[in-house]
Amino acid sequence: MTQRAMFPPADSPALAGDREGAGFTAMVLGVMSLFFMVSLVGILFSIPTGLGAIGCGAVGVRRAKRGEASNGRTALIGLVLGIAVTLTLGCGVMWLDHTLSQAYG
């Protein structure tokens, strides 16, 4: 297996046998979780998609560091989006629980 840089130049072609699925999935799930967080209807879906983005992003970054995939940036963006959305909503849920328990408890 050939070793490649984690962040290759943009004009480098993808080689056969690349394992790009996890990085691409992390990016898609990260953007979906951000969209769900912004739209109030999808807040229930935002945390599971954010956790999926974290998991797939970690796998994608690991594969890119080992040279098995060439989309390290995509995986890293998905990972960061997943972490940001999950932490934001987690803190928001804890704040809402604390506030409501003080108001009505």
Side-chain angles (χ1 to χ4, degrees), residues 10-11 17 25-26 28 32-33 42 52-55 61 66 103:
D11 58 348
T25 304
V28 170
M32 283 176 56
S33 67
I54 292 170
V61 167
R66 286 192 307 232

Side-chain angles (χ1 to χ4, degrees), residues 4-89:
R4 291 182 301 275
M6 181 176 171
F7 302 115
D11 58 348
S12 67
L15 299 176
D18 278 347
R19 301 177 68 191
E20 313 270 328
F24 181 72
T25 304
M27 180 69 161
V28 170
L29 287 175
V31 170
M32 283 176 56
S33 67
L34 183 65
F35 172 74
F36 286 148
M37 183 182 78
V38 172
S39 68
L40 296 177
V41 177
I43 285 181
L44 293 176
F45 301 113
S46 185
I47 290 179
T49 54
L51 291 174
I54 292 170
C56 291
V59 169
V61 167
R62 193 174 315 125
R63 285 182 183 170
K65 282 185 180 179
R66 286 192 307 232
E68 296 175 8
S70 61
N71 62 346
R73 288 185 189 128
T74 306
L76 189 62
I77 290 171
L79 177 66
V80 169
L81 277 174
I83 290 172
V85 168
T86 304
L87 284 178
T88 302
L89 281 178

